[in-house]
C-alpha cells in the first residue's frame, strides 16, 4: 500500500491524504479521521524520506560521538542512553544518525551537519564546564538538548540532567551516618560537568561534619573497572586507609570490590561501597537483593526523556529552553555497613 493507492481507495487527492495524515489544520476533522482509519485498516505506512521532503524535515536525530584522547564516550552507560533515546525516536517515526569524530574536528562536523540539514536536531553528550558546542549550535539555529549541564555557560539552552549534587551529598551523608570518616571519592574526569558537581557535593557533606578533604582519598579518572581496582588498591595500602568508597559508576565499583577482596577484606563489613548509576540494562545490581548500595538513576529513562524533549523542540522551536532534572533514588544493598570500631 502506497500513498497513490490509498488516495484512490478514498477517492481523494494525494495532497489531501498526505495533509490529513500529517495533521494539517486545513483538513476537516471528519476527513482526517476517515483517512487515518483507512490507513490503519490497509496497513499504510508513509515513506519517511518522502514525508521528510514534503515537510522540510529529515526525520532523523544526530548524535556526535567524540573519539577522544581524554575520555571515552562509548561505554555501557552510553549504550543504555542510546537505547532509550532510540525508542523515543522510533515511536515518533524518526531515525538516529551517529557520527564519530576526533576532538579537534568536532566544530567542523557540527557545522557540516547543520549545513546539510540531514538531521532535525542533536543530542549533546558529556558537557564540560565551558562547553563550546552550546554556543555553536545556538548560532547555527539547530534544535538541541544537552544530556547534562555546563555550569559556566550563561546563554539559555535546553537540558536534561540527573541531580548529581543531591545524589552525591546524600550518598556521602549516608556513609557519615554509618560512622565513616575516611571516605574515598572515585570520581569521573572532573573537567566534565557532572563530575565537578559530584565532587563539590562530596566536599560540602564532609565540611558540614567538620571533615577536611584528603587528596589521597580522591581519584578523578575514566570510570573503568581497572581504574577502580588500581586506585582502590593504592588507597587501601595507605597508613590510614579509607573505610568506605563513593564511586561514580557501578563499573568502577566492581573494580573497587575486587581490590577489597584482593586485600583480604570483606565488602560491607571491613570496607563499604556506595555507587551511582547502578540501573544499567546489561549490568544489573544483583537480583532479589542489590549487591551495591546505590543512588539509582535509570540512564535508559534519561535517554527516552531527552529524546522526547528534543522532539518537542523540533515540533515547536518556541517551546524552549526546556529543563528537566531527574532525582536519584537511594537503594540499600549489601555493600555498606557501620565503620569498623577501630576507626
Amino acid at each position: 500500500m502506497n500513498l497513490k493507492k490509498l488516495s484512490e481507495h478514498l477517492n481523494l487527492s494525494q495532497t489531501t491524504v498526505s495533509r490529513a495524515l500529517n495533521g494539517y489544520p486545513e483538513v476537516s476533522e471528519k476527513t482526517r479521521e476517515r483517512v487515518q482509519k483507512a490507513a490503519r485498516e490497509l496497513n499504510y505506512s508513509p515513506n519517511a524520506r518522502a514525508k521528510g521532503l514534503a515537510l522540510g524535515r529529515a526525520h532523523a536525530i544526530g548524535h556526535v560521538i567524540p573519539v577522544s584522547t581524554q575520555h571515552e564516550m562509548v561505554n555501557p552507560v552510553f549504550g543504555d542512553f542510546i537505547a532509550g533515546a532510540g525508542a523515543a525516536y522510533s515511536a515518533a517515526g524518526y531515525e538516529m544518525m551517529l557520527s564519530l569524530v576526533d576532538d579537534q574536528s568536532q566544530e567542523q562536523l557540527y557545522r557540516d551537519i547543520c549545513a546539510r540539514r540531514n538531521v532535525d536536531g542533536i543530542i549533546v553528550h558529556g558537557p564540560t564546564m565551558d562547553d563550546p558546542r552550546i554556543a555553536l549550535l545556538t548560532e547555527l539555529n539547530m534544535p538541541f538538548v544537552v544530556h547534562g549541564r555546563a555550569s559556566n555557560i550563561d546563554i539559555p539552552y535546553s537540558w536534561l540532567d540527573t541531580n548529581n549534587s543531591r545524589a552525591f551529598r546524600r550518598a556521602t551523608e549516608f556513609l557519615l551516618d554509618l560512622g565513616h570518616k575516611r571516605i574515598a571519592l572515585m570520581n569521573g574526569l572532573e573537567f566534565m560537568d557532572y563530575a565537578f558537581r559530584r565532587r563539590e557535593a562530596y566536599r560540602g557533606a564532609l565540611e558540614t561534619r567538620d571533615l577536611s578533604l584528603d587528596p589521597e582519598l580522591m581519584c578523578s579518572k575514566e570510570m573503568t573497572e581497572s581504574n577502580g581496582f588500581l586506585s582502590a588498591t593504592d588507597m587501601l595500602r595507605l597508613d590510614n586507609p579509607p573505610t568506605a568508597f563513593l564511586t561514580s559508576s557501578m563499573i568502577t565499583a566492581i573494580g573497587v570490590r575486587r581490590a577489597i577482596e584482593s586485600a583480604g577484606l570483606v565488602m560491607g563489613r571491613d570496607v563499604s561501597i556506595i555507587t551511582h548509576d547502578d540501573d544499567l540494562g546489561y549490568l544489573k545490581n544483583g537480583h532479589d537483593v542489590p549487591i551495591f548500595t546505590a543512588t539509582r538513576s535509570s540512564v535508559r529513562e534519561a535517554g527516552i526523556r531527552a529524546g522526547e524533549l528534543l522532539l518537542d523542540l523540533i515540533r515547536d522551536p518556541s517551546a524552549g529552553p526546556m529543563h528537566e532534572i531527574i532525582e536519584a533514588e537511594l537503594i540499600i544493598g549489601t555493600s555498606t555497613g557501620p565503620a569498623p570500631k577501630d576507626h
Side-chain angles (χ1 to χ4, degrees), residues 8-66:
E8 290 172 351
H9 172 79
L10 290 163
N11 197 26
L12 294 170
S13 72
Q14 292 184 45
T15 300
T16 299
V17 171
S18 177
R19 288 177 176 272
L21 291 170
N22 288 307
Y24 279 75
E26 60 266 32
V27 179
S28 71
E29 187 62 30
K30 182 178 179 181
T31 300
R32 183 174 10 261
E33 288 177 358
R34 180 182 166 220
V35 170
Q36 290 174 344
K37 181 174 182 290
R40 287 193 299 271
E41 290 174 348
L42 298 171
N43 294 316
Y44 169 74
S45 180
N47 179 284
R49 188 171 296 276
K51 181 179 177 182
L53 289 171
L55 297 176
R57 290 181 182 168
H59 278 88
I61 304 297
H63 292 256
V64 176
I65 315 304

Coordinates of all heavy atoms in Angstrom, one line a residue, residues 8-66:
E8 N -6.5 6.7 -4.1 CA -7.5 6.1 -5.0 C -8.6 5.4 -4.2 O -9.8 5.5 -4.6 CB -6.8 5.2 -6.0 CG -5.9 5.9 -7.0 CD -5.1 4.9 -7.8 OE1 -5.1 3.7 -7.5 OE2 -4.5 5.4 -8.8
H9 N -8.2 4.6 -3.2 CA -9.2 3.9 -2.4 C -10.2 4.9 -1.7 O -11.4 4.6 -1.6 CB -8.5 3.1 -1.3 CG -9.4 2.5 -0.3 ND1 -10.1 1.3 -0.6 CD2 -9.7 2.8 1.0 CE1 -10.8 1.0 0.5 NE2 -10.6 1.9 1.5
L10 N -9.7 6.1 -1.3 CA -10.5 7.0 -0.6 C -11.2 8.0 -1.5 O -12.0 8.8 -1.1 CB -9.6 7.8 0.4 CG -9.1 7.0 1.6 CD1 -8.0 7.8 2.3 CD2 -10.3 6.8 2.6
N11 N -10.8 8.0 -2.8 CA -11.3 8.9 -3.8 C -10.9 10.4 -3.4 O -11.8 11.3 -3.5 CB -12.8 8.8 -4.0 CG -13.2 9.5 -5.3 OD1 -12.4 9.6 -6.3 ND2 -14.5 9.9 -5.4
L12 N -9.7 10.5 -2.9 CA -9.2 11.9 -2.5 C -7.9 12.1 -3.2 O -7.2 11.2 -3.6 CB -9.0 11.9 -1.0 CG -10.2 11.8 -0.1 CD1 -9.8 11.7 1.4 CD2 -11.1 13.1 -0.3
S13 N -7.5 13.4 -3.3 CA -6.2 13.7 -3.9 C -5.0 13.2 -2.9 O -5.2 13.1 -1.7 CB -6.0 15.2 -4.2 OG -5.9 15.9 -2.9
Q14 N -3.9 12.9 -3.5 CA -2.7 12.5 -2.7 C -2.4 13.7 -1.7 O -1.9 13.4 -0.6 CB -1.5 12.2 -3.6 CG -1.7 10.9 -4.4 CD -0.5 10.6 -5.2 OE1 0.6 10.6 -4.7 NE2 -0.7 10.2 -6.5
T15 N -2.5 14.9 -2.1 CA -2.2 16.0 -1.3 C -3.1 16.1 -0.1 O -2.6 16.3 1.1 CB -2.3 17.4 -2.0 OG1 -1.4 17.4 -3.2 CG2 -2.0 18.6 -1.2
T16 N -4.4 15.8 -0.3 CA -5.3 15.8 0.9 C -5.0 14.7 1.8 O -5.0 14.9 3.1 CB -6.8 15.7 0.3 OG1 -7.1 16.8 -0.5 CG2 -7.8 15.7 1.5
V17 N -4.7 13.5 1.3 CA -4.4 12.4 2.2 C -3.2 12.7 3.0 O -3.1 12.4 4.2 CB -4.3 11.1 1.3 CG1 -3.8 10.0 2.2 CG2 -5.6 10.7 0.7
S18 N -2.1 13.2 2.3 CA -0.9 13.5 3.0 C -1.1 14.5 4.1 O -0.6 14.3 5.2 CB 0.1 14.0 2.0 OG 1.3 14.3 2.6
R19 N -1.8 15.5 3.8 CA -2.1 16.6 4.8 C -2.9 16.1 5.9 O -2.7 16.4 7.1 CB -2.8 17.8 4.1 CG -1.8 18.6 3.2 CD -2.5 19.7 2.5 NE -1.5 20.5 1.8 CZ -0.8 21.5 2.2 NH1 -1.0 21.9 3.5 NH2 0.0 22.2 1.5
A20 N -3.9 15.2 5.7 CA -4.7 14.6 6.7 C -3.8 13.7 7.7 O -4.0 13.8 8.9 CB -5.8 13.7 6.1
L21 N -2.9 13.0 7.1 CA -2.1 12.1 7.9 C -1.0 12.9 8.7 O -0.6 12.4 9.8 CB -1.3 11.1 7.0 CG -2.2 10.0 6.3 CD1 -1.4 9.2 5.3 CD2 -2.8 9.1 7.4
N22 N -0.7 14.1 8.2 CA 0.3 14.9 8.9 C -0.2 16.0 9.8 O 0.5 16.8 10.3 CB 1.3 15.5 7.9 CG 2.2 14.4 7.3 OD1 2.9 13.7 8.0 ND2 2.2 14.3 5.9
G23 N -1.6 16.0 9.9 CA -2.2 16.9 10.9 C -2.4 18.3 10.5 O -2.4 19.2 11.3
Y24 N -2.4 18.6 9.2 CA -2.5 20.0 8.8 C -3.9 20.5 9.2 O -4.9 19.8 9.0 CB -2.4 20.1 7.2 CG -0.9 20.1 6.8 CD1 -0.2 18.9 6.8 CD2 -0.3 21.3 6.4 CE1 1.2 19.0 6.4 CE2 1.0 21.3 6.0 CZ 1.7 20.2 6.0 OH 3.0 20.2 5.6
P25 N -4.0 21.7 9.7 CA -5.3 22.2 10.2 C -6.3 22.5 9.1 O -7.5 22.5 9.5 CB -4.9 23.6 10.9 CG -3.6 24.0 10.2 CD -2.9 22.7 9.9
E26 N -5.9 22.7 7.9 CA -6.9 23.0 6.9 C -7.8 21.8 6.4 O -8.8 21.9 5.7 CB -6.3 23.6 5.6 CG -5.2 22.7 4.9 CD -3.8 23.0 5.4 OE1 -3.7 23.4 6.6 OE2 -2.9 22.9 4.6
V27 N -7.4 20.6 6.9 CA -8.1 19.4 6.6 C -9.2 19.2 7.7 O -8.9 19.3 8.9 CB -7.2 18.1 6.6 CG1 -8.0 16.9 6.3 CG2 -6.2 18.3 5.5
S28 N -10.4 18.9 7.3 CA -11.5 18.8 8.3 C -11.3 17.6 9.2 O -10.6 16.6 8.8 CB -12.9 18.7 7.6 OG -13.0 17.4 7.0
E29 N -11.8 17.7 10.4 CA -11.7 16.5 11.4 C -12.3 15.3 10.8 O -11.8 14.2 11.0 CB -12.3 16.9 12.7 CG -12.0 15.9 13.8 CD -10.6 15.8 14.1 OE1 -9.8 16.7 14.0 OE2 -10.1 14.7 14.5
K30 N -13.4 15.4 10.1 CA -14.1 14.2 9.6 C -13.3 13.6 8.5 O -13.1 12.3 8.5 CB -15.5 14.7 9.0 CG -16.3 13.5 8.4 CD -17.6 14.0 7.8 CE -18.4 12.9 7.2 NZ -19.7 13.4 6.7
T31 N -12.6 14.4 7.6 CA -11.8 13.8 6.6 C -10.5 13.2 7.2 O -10.1 12.1 6.8 CB -11.3 14.9 5.6 OG1 -12.5 15.4 5.0 CG2 -10.4 14.3 4.5
R32 N -9.9 13.8 8.2 CA -8.8 13.3 8.9 C -9.0 12.0 9.5 O -8.3 11.0 9.4 CB -8.3 14.3 9.9 CG -7.0 13.8 10.6 CD -6.3 14.8 11.6 NE -7.1 16.0 11.9 CZ -7.0 17.2 11.3 NH1 -6.1 17.4 10.4 NH2 -7.7 18.2 11.7
E33 N -10.1 11.8 10.2 CA -10.5 10.6 10.9 C -10.7 9.5 9.8 O -10.3 8.3 10.0 CB -11.7 10.7 11.7 CG -11.5 11.6 13.0 CD -12.8 11.8 13.8 OE1 -13.8 11.3 13.3 OE2 -12.7 12.4 14.8
R34 N -11.4 9.8 8.7 CA -11.6 8.9 7.6 C -10.3 8.3 7.0 O -10.1 7.1 6.8 CB -12.5 9.5 6.6 CG -12.8 8.6 5.4 CD -13.6 9.3 4.4 NE -13.6 8.6 3.1 CZ -13.6 9.1 1.9 NH1 -13.4 10.4 1.8 NH2 -13.6 8.3 0.8
V35 N -9.4 9.3 6.8 CA -8.1 8.9 6.2 C -7.3 8.0 7.2 O -6.7 7.0 6.8 CB -7.3 10.2 5.8 CG1 -5.9 9.8 5.4 CG2 -8.0 10.9 4.6
Q36 N -7.2 8.4 8.4 CA -6.4 7.7 9.4 C -7.0 6.3 9.6 O -6.3 5.3 9.8 CB -6.4 8.5 10.7 CG -5.5 9.7 10.6 CD -5.6 10.6 11.9 OE1 -6.5 10.4 12.7 NE2 -4.6 11.5 12.0
K37 N -8.3 6.2 9.6 CA -9.0 4.9 9.8 C -8.6 4.0 8.6 O -8.3 2.8 8.8 CB -10.5 5.1 9.9 CG -11.3 3.8 10.1 CD -12.7 4.1 10.3 CE -13.6 2.8 10.6 NZ -13.7 1.9 9.4
A38 N -8.7 4.5 7.4 CA -8.3 3.7 6.2 C -6.9 3.3 6.2 O -6.5 2.2 5.8 CB -8.7 4.5 4.9
A39 N -6.0 4.2 6.6 CA -4.6 3.9 6.7 C -4.3 2.8 7.7 O -3.5 1.9 7.4 CB -3.8 5.2 7.1
R40 N -5.0 2.8 8.8 CA -4.8 1.7 9.8 C -5.3 0.4 9.2 O -4.6 -0.7 9.3 CB -5.5 2.0 11.1 CG -4.8 3.1 11.9 CD -5.4 3.1 13.3 NE -6.8 3.4 13.3 CZ -7.4 4.6 13.4 NH1 -6.6 5.7 13.4 NH2 -8.7 4.8 13.4
E41 N -6.5 0.4 8.6 CA -7.1 -0.8 8.1 C -6.2 -1.4 7.0 O -6.2 -2.7 6.8 CB -8.5 -0.6 7.6 CG -9.5 -0.3 8.8 CD -10.8 0.2 8.3 OE1 -10.9 0.5 7.1 OE2 -11.8 0.3 9.1
L42 N -5.6 -0.6 6.2 CA -4.9 -1.1 5.0 C -3.4 -1.2 5.3 O -2.6 -1.4 4.3 CB -5.1 -0.1 3.8 CG -6.6 -0.1 3.3 CD1 -6.8 1.0 2.3 CD2 -7.0 -1.4 2.7
N43 N -3.0 -1.0 6.5 CA -1.6 -1.1 6.9 C -0.7 -0.2 6.1 O 0.4 -0.5 5.7 CB -1.1 -2.5 6.8 CG -1.8 -3.5 7.8 OD1 -1.9 -3.1 8.9 ND2 -2.2 -4.6 7.3
Y44 N -1.2 1.1 5.9 CA -0.3 2.0 5.2 C 0.7 2.7 6.1 O 0.3 3.2 7.2 CB -1.2 3.1 4.6 CG -0.4 4.3 4.0 CD1 0.3 4.2 2.9 CD2 -0.4 5.5 4.7 CE1 1.1 5.2 2.4 CE2 0.4 6.6 4.3 CZ 1.1 6.4 3.1 OH 1.8 7.5 2.6
S45 N 1.9 2.7 5.7 CA 3.0 3.3 6.5 C 3.7 4.3 5.5 O 4.2 3.9 4.5 CB 4.0 2.3 7.0 OG 5.0 3.0 7.7
P46 N 3.7 5.6 5.9 CA 4.3 6.6 5.0 C 5.8 6.4 4.8 O 6.5 6.0 5.8 CB 3.9 8.0 5.6 CG 3.7 7.6 7.1 CD 3.1 6.3 7.1
N47 N 6.3 6.7 3.6 CA 7.7 6.7 3.4 C 8.3 7.8 4.1 O 8.0 9.0 3.9 CB 7.9 6.8 1.9 CG 9.4 6.8 1.5 OD1 10.1 7.8 1.7 ND2 9.9 5.7 1.0
A48 N 9.2 7.5 5.0 CA 9.8 8.5 5.9 C 10.6 9.6 5.1 O 10.5 10.8 5.4 CB 10.8 7.9 6.9
R49 N 11.3 9.2 4.1 CA 12.1 10.1 3.3 C 11.2 11.1 2.5 O 11.4 12.3 2.4 CB 13.0 9.4 2.3 CG 14.0 10.3 1.6 CD 15.0 9.5 0.8 NE 15.9 8.7 1.8 CZ 16.9 9.2 2.4 NH1 17.3 10.5 2.2 NH2 17.6 8.5 3.2
A50 N 10.1 10.5 1.9 CA 9.2 11.3 1.2 C 8.4 12.3 2.1 O 8.2 13.4 1.8 CB 8.2 10.4 0.4
K51 N 8.1 11.8 3.3 CA 7.4 12.6 4.2 C 8.3 13.8 4.7 O 7.9 14.9 4.8 CB 7.0 11.8 5.4 CG 6.2 12.5 6.5 CD 5.9 11.6 7.7 CE 5.2 12.3 8.8 NZ 4.8 11.4 9.9
G52 N 9.6 13.4 4.9 CA 10.5 14.4 5.3 C 10.7 15.5 4.2 O 10.7 16.7 4.5
L53 N 10.7 15.1 2.9 CA 10.9 16.1 1.9 C 9.6 17.0 1.8 O 9.7 18.2 1.6 CB 11.0 15.4 0.5 CG 12.4 14.7 0.3 CD1 12.4 13.8 -0.9 CD2 13.5 15.7 0.2
A54 N 8.5 16.4 2.0 CA 7.2 17.2 2.0 C 7.2 18.2 3.1 O 6.7 19.3 2.9 CB 6.0 16.2 2.0
L55 N 7.7 17.8 4.3 CA 7.6 18.7 5.4 C 8.8 19.5 5.6 O 8.9 20.3 6.6 CB 7.3 17.9 6.7 CG 6.0 17.1 6.7 CD1 5.9 16.2 8.0 CD2 4.8 18.0 6.6
G56 N 9.8 19.3 4.8 CA 11.1 20.0 5.0 C 11.9 19.5 6.2 O 12.6 20.3 6.8
R57 N 11.7 18.3 6.5 CA 12.4 17.7 7.7 C 13.1 16.4 7.3 O 12.7 15.7 6.3 CB 11.4 17.4 8.8 CG 10.9 18.6 9.5 CD 9.9 18.2 10.6 NE 9.3 19.4 11.3 CZ 8.3 19.4 12.1 NH1 7.8 18.2 12.4 NH2 7.9 20.5 12.6
A58 N 14.2 16.1 8.0 CA 14.9 14.9 7.7 C 14.4 13.7 8.5 O 14.7 12.5 8.1 CB 16.4 15.1 8.1
H59 N 13.6 13.9 9.5 CA 13.1 12.8 10.4 C 14.3 12.0 10.9 O 14.2 10.7 10.9 CB 12.0 12.0 9.7 CG 10.7 12.7 9.7 ND1 10.3 13.5 8.8 CD2 9.7 12.6 10.6 CE1 9.1 14.0 9.1 NE2 8.7 13.4 10.2
A60 N 15.3 12.7 11.3 CA 16.5 12.0 11.9 C 17.0 12.9 13.0 O 17.0 14.1 12.9 CB 17.5 11.7 10.9
I61 N 17.6 12.2 14.0 CA 18.2 12.9 15.2 C 19.7 12.6 15.2 O 20.1 11.4 15.0 CB 17.6 12.6 16.5 CG1 16.1 12.8 16.5 CG2 18.3 13.3 17.7 CD1 15.7 14.3 16.4
G62 N 20.6 13.6 15.4 CA 22.0 13.4 15.3 C 22.6 13.2 16.7 O 22.2 13.8 17.7
H63 N 23.6 12.3 16.8 CA 24.4 12.1 18.0 C 25.9 12.1 17.5 O 26.3 11.3 16.7 CB 24.1 10.8 18.7 CG 22.8 10.7 19.3 ND1 22.6 10.8 20.7 CD2 21.5 10.5 18.7 CE1 21.3 10.6 20.9 NE2 20.6 10.5 19.8
V64 N 26.6 13.1 18.0 CA 28.1 13.2 17.6 C 28.9 12.6 18.8 O 28.8 13.0 19.9 CB 28.4 14.6 17.4 CG1 29.9 14.7 17.1 CG2 27.6 15.2 16.2
I65 N 29.6 11.5 18.4 CA 30.4 10.8 19.4 C 31.9 11.1 19.3 O 32.5 10.7 18.3 CB 30.2 9.3 19.3 CG1 28.7 9.0 19.1 CG2 30.8 8.6 20.5 CD1 27.8 9.5 20.2
P66 N 32.5 11.8 20.2 CA 33.9 12.1 20.1 C 34.8 10.9 20.4 O 34.6 10.2 21.4 CB 34.1 13.2 21.2 CG 33.1 13.0 22.2 CD 31.9 12.5 21.4

